[in-house]
């Protein structure tokens, strides 16, 4: 009787493994579709803000929070929900995230005041924090074979880049043809479809569940990240390193994060095993993500201003001009697995940083006149290099972390992404301002007070110029355009230096791509299924249920 039960159990296990292998690519499609919506929502509202301002009449502070509520809340809760998913089930958190994202989108659509829209954006941030680490950690479990997992992560990173890049294009189209609420309305039917599909096709998976979940530690991490990200964003806006409104939240966030690290080191069952950071490959991967985002996100925002204010392109035309970057990122994501196997993590990430730095230096040739081929070439190289860097760093980070800690590792990666983005906006924005303002110190026919105000931003300079006489207006506009292009060149050079530092940081990554077995080179594609079974047997603590077909 026991022999029959054993045989039945083995047969059930074999059928379960076969079903998981059969549907893992469908799981990837489902997860990436949901990730696309979250990535779109992070940028799609930017072009709708003028329409929101005209309709809801928010104050300047309320308008700032309409834009920042989503990324601030999302960044602060990534660690909380990433580690909670390891305990209670990653799919469960993902489903809750879908539901909350849909409800928050509906609330945003019917918003009749700035306060309601801010609350809706904050709820969207909570939903996004549930969805983003869950998708990546589920991929870690569904694709135990490293070669297939690399392909999946390549698609995942490409979809994230595509969503963020096409957000302004889609938002511009919707606002021009409908109304600002349509940028949220598209989420509702898609989330209504994603909920049953995820429930049906995506397997549940968990990490370790020994010991209680550290709620206090999760709250410390959330408040600490919130303080740091908020402080960095305020520094990017105020450009004043001594501004109390930015420094105090930043220092408070750092203090809370130090308390979080101390608490995790002392607990028997920590939320995040801090020994992960003693692994040079893991910590270097996290550092590479921060540096890549730091060097490029602030630069991307400045490039958008260049396209719109210097070249006088519309928001929709600006989004179209940046499509080469999107398509290049897609290609780099699709080819990432093959390049990783051929080059290894160290060379792939280092080469990606170097290629991105070359692209940035090429863009120094931009001037006050439109040069479409130069911009297109630079954006293609930028997309290829940047996406290769992010892909290699994410893949190495997730592989170096134990499967039981996949949610926490994914949350660390996403938090690093958000921190790097915020730091880039603050740092490169400060560099841009420092290089731009002196060019407007003395402009013929413009008073000292107007020159000083025009030195705050190119948009403000144009507004002041419009109030002046024809001769002074032309002088101020020409001076402002020239100063902005000079500041852009300086910012590009600083960004290139940061990228080259990232290439040095990548030297800590492993030289070769290795499979689950230590020091074993990855098997050919035909052996992927066998490797998946072996890897699954080696990870008894990661409990995956069979997807329902």
């Amino acid at each position: 009787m026991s022999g029959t039960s054993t045989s039945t159990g083995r047969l059930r296990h074999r059928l379960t493994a076969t079903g998981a292998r059969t549907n893992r690519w469908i799981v990837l499609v489902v997860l990436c579709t949901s990730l696309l919506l979250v990535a779109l929502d992070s940028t799609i509202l930017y072009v709708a803000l003028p329409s929101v301002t005209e309709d809801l009449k928010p104050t300047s502070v309320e308008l700032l929070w309409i834009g920042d509520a989503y990324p601030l809340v999302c960044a602060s809760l990534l660690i909380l929900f990433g580690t909670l998913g390891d305990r209670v089930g990653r799919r469960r958190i993902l489903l809750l995230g879908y539901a909350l994202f849909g409800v928050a989108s509906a609330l945003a659509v019917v918003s009749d005041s700035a306060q309601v829209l801010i609350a809706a954006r904050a709820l969207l941030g909570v939903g996004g924090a549930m969805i983003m680490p869950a998708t990546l950690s589920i991929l870690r479990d569904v694709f135990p074979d490293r070669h297939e997992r690399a392909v999946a992560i390549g698609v995942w990173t490409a979809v994230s880049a595509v969503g963020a890049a096409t957000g302004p294009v889609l938002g511009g189209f919707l606002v021009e043809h409908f109304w600002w609420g349509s940028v949220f309305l598209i989420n509702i039917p898609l989330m209504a479809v994603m909920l049953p599909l995820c429930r049906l096709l995506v397997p549940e998976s968990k990490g370790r569940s020994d010991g209680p979940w550290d709620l206090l530690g999760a709250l410390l991490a959330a408040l600490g990240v919130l303080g740091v990200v908020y402080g960095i964003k305020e520094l990017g806006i105020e450009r004043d390193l001594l501004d109390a409104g930015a420094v105090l939240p930043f220092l408070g966030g750092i203090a809370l994060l130090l308390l979080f690290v101390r608490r995790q080191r002392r607990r028997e069952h920590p939320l995040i095993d801090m020994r992960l950071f003693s692994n040079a490959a893991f910590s270097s991967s996290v550092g590479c993500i921060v540096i890549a985002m730091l060097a490029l996100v602030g630069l991307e925002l400045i490039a958008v201003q260049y396209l719109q204010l210097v070249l006088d392109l519309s928001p929709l035309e600006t989004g179209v001009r940046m499509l080469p970057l999107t398509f290049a990122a897609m290609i780099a994501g699709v080819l990432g697995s093959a390049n990783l196997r051929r080059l290894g993590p160290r060379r792939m990430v280092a080469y990606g940083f170097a290629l991105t730095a070359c692209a940035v230096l090429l863009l120094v040739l931009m001037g006050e006149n439109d040069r479409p081929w130069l911009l297109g070439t630079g954006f293609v190289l930028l997309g290829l290099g940047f996406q290769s860097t992010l892909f290699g760093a994410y893949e190495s980070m997730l592989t170096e972390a134990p499967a039981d800690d996949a949610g926490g590792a994914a949350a660390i990666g996403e938090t690093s992404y958000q921190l790097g983005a915020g730091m880039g906006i603050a740092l490169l924005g400060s560099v841009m301002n420092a290089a731009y303002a002196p060019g407007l110190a003395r402009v013929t026919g413009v008073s000292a007070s107007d020159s000083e105000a025009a030195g705050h931003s190119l948009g403000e300079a144009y507004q002041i110029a419009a109030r002046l006489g024809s001769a002074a207006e032309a002088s101020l506009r020409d001076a402002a355009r020239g100063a902005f292009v000079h500041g852009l060149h300086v910012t590009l050079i600083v960004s290139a230096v940061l990228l080259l530092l990232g290439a040095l940081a990548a030297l800590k990554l492993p030289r070769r791509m290795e499979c689950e077995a230590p020091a074993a080179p990855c098997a050919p594609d035909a052996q992927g299924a066998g490797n998946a079974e072996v890897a699954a047997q080696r990870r008894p603590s990661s409990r995956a249920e069979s997807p329902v077909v």
Side-chain angles (χ1 to χ4, degrees):
M1 189 71 175
S2 61
T4 302
S5 299
T6 303
S7 299
T8 303
R10 289 175 179 172
L11 177 60
R12 185 182 297 111
H13 174 75
R14 190 178 299 113
L15 291 174
T16 298
T18 302
R21 288 198 303 274
T22 302
N23 293 281
R24 62 195 182 281
W25 301 109
I26 299 177
V27 171
L28 177 62
V29 172
V30 173
L31 295 178
C32 285
T33 302
S34 60
L35 176 67
L36 179 64
L37 293 176
V38 175
L40 276 171
D41 216 69
S42 65
T43 58
I44 197 172
L45 184 63
Y46 293 153
V47 295
L49 286 178
S51 299
V52 171
T53 302
E54 182 179 352
D55 189 16
L56 301 183
K57 304 294 190 295
T59 66
S60 58
V61 174
E62 289 173 338
L63 185 61
L64 184 65
W65 277 104
I66 288 173
D68 285 349
Y70 177 87
L72 282 174
V73 172
C74 183
S76 63
L77 296 178
L78 286 167
I79 292 177
L80 189 153
F81 288 119
T83 56
L84 182 61
D86 286 341
R87 296 299 181 99
V88 304
R90 295 153 185 159
R91 185 184 63 176
R92 181 176 299 176
I93 295 296
L94 184 61
L95 290 171
L96 288 173
Y98 287 162
L100 186 57
F101 209 82
V103 170
S105 298
L107 180 61
V109 169
V110 300
S111 297
D112 57 357
S113 68
Q115 294 86 352
V116 175
L117 184 56
I118 292 170
R121 290 279 288 169
L123 287 176
L124 282 168
V126 178
M130 292 179 172
I131 293 170
M132 293 181 73
T135 57
L136 192 54
S137 55
I138 289 173
L139 287 186
R140 174 69 173 85
D141 205 65
V142 171
F143 292 90
D145 173 66
R146 185 172 184 182
H147 169 59
E148 291 189 341
R149 182 167 67 245
V151 175
I153 293 175
V155 175
W156 186 90
T157 55
V159 167
S160 179
V162 168
T166 56
V169 180
L170 179 60
F173 174 82
L174 292 173
V175 171
E176 285 185 12
H177 292 82
F178 302 100
W179 92 110
W180 63 264
S182 61
V183 302
F184 300 107
L185 186 62
I186 60 173
N187 293 336
I188 300 173
L190 291 174
M191 284 301 172
V193 173
M194 294 304 299
L195 265 168
L197 279 180
C198 179
R199 179 67 182 87
L200 183 68
L201 298 173
V202 177
E204 180 62 282
S205 66
K206 295 181 181 180
R208 70 165 65 93
S209 58
D210 50 337
W213 185 62
D214 185 12
L215 176 60
L216 178 58
L219 293 176
L220 284 175
L223 293 175
V225 172
L226 178 62
V228 170
V229 175
Y230 177 79
I232 290 173
K233 282 182 173 289
E234 286 296 299
L235 287 173
I237 295 170
E238 298 295 335
R239 308 284 193 264
D240 183 2
L241 296 179
L242 299 179
D243 181 68
V247 172
L248 293 180
F250 179 80
L251 293 179
I254 292 292
L256 290 174
L257 289 177
L258 290 176
L259 288 175
F260 170 75
V261 171
R262 182 181 181 186
R263 179 178 177 85
Q264 299 309 299
R265 285 179 173 174
R266 293 183 172 185
R267 287 184 63 85
E268 182 180 357
H269 304 291
L271 280 177
I272 295 176
D273 189 351
M274 290 299 157
R275 290 174 297 181
L276 281 173
F277 289 95
S278 63
N279 182 328
F282 181 87
S283 56
S284 296
S285 298
V286 172
C288 287
I289 293 172
V290 172
I291 294 174
M293 297 306 300
L294 189 155
L296 287 174
V297 169
L299 180 61
E300 185 175 292
L301 292 178
I302 295 170
V304 169
Q305 294 180 52
Y306 169 79
L307 293 172
Q308 292 186 1
L309 299 178
V310 176
L311 300 186
D312 199 25
L313 301 179
S314 70
L316 186 57
E317 289 172 330
T318 299
V320 171
R321 281 294 189 94
M322 300 188 75
L323 284 179
L325 189 153
T326 304
F327 292 138
M330 291 173 60
I331 294 171
V334 171
L335 299 179
S337 176
N339 290 334
L340 187 63
R341 295 185 70 194
R342 183 171 66 254
L343 299 174
R346 181 185 301 179
R347 285 194 293 173
M348 181 172 181
V349 176
Y351 289 171
F353 271 122
L355 179 60
T356 309
C358 291
V360 167
L361 292 175
L362 176 65
L363 294 176
V364 173
L365 299 176
M366 293 188 304
E368 296 183 38
N369 298 319
D370 192 3
R371 304 177 68 180
W373 287 106
L374 174 64
L375 284 172
T377 302
F379 284 158
V380 167
L381 296 178
L382 201 64
L384 291 172
F386 179 59
Q387 191 62 27
S388 297
T389 298
L390 275 189
F391 167 78
Y394 265 110
E395 198 280 336
S396 296
M397 178 202 68
L398 203 60
T399 297
E400 293 297 329
D404 285 340
D405 295 322
I412 290 172
E414 291 300 309
T415 303
S416 303
Y417 185 102
Q418 298 288 344
L419 286 175
M423 291 169 63
I425 293 172
L427 174 62
L428 295 186
S430 298
V431 171
M432 177 70 191
N433 188 66
Y436 164 76
L440 298 176
R442 294 182 180 86
V443 181
T444 303
V446 180
S447 66
S449 59
D450 283 341
S451 295
E452 182 181 358
H456 295 161
S457 69
L458 182 57
E460 192 166 347
Y462 283 174
Q463 292 176 2
I464 294 172
R467 300 198 305 263
L468 302 175
S470 57
E473 177 183 359
S475 297
L476 182 56
R477 287 181 67 90
D478 290 344
R481 283 162 58 93
F484 186 90
V485 171
H486 169 71
L488 176 61
H489 291 167
V490 173
T491 307
L492 287 167
I493 293 172
V494 172
S495 181
V497 171
L498 292 171
L499 291 165
L500 293 176
L501 291 176
L504 294 177
L507 298 180
K508 292 288 187 180
L509 296 176
R511 186 183 298 273
R512 298 176 61 190
M513 180 181 179
E514 297 175 348
C515 288
E516 303 294 334
C522 278
D525 295 0
Q527 298 176 9
N531 288 340
E533 290 181 357
V534 172
Q537 293 170 3
R538 287 176 177 166
R539 298 187 299 118
S541 59
S542 182
R543 299 178 293 282
E545 297 175 4
S546 167
V548 180
V549 182

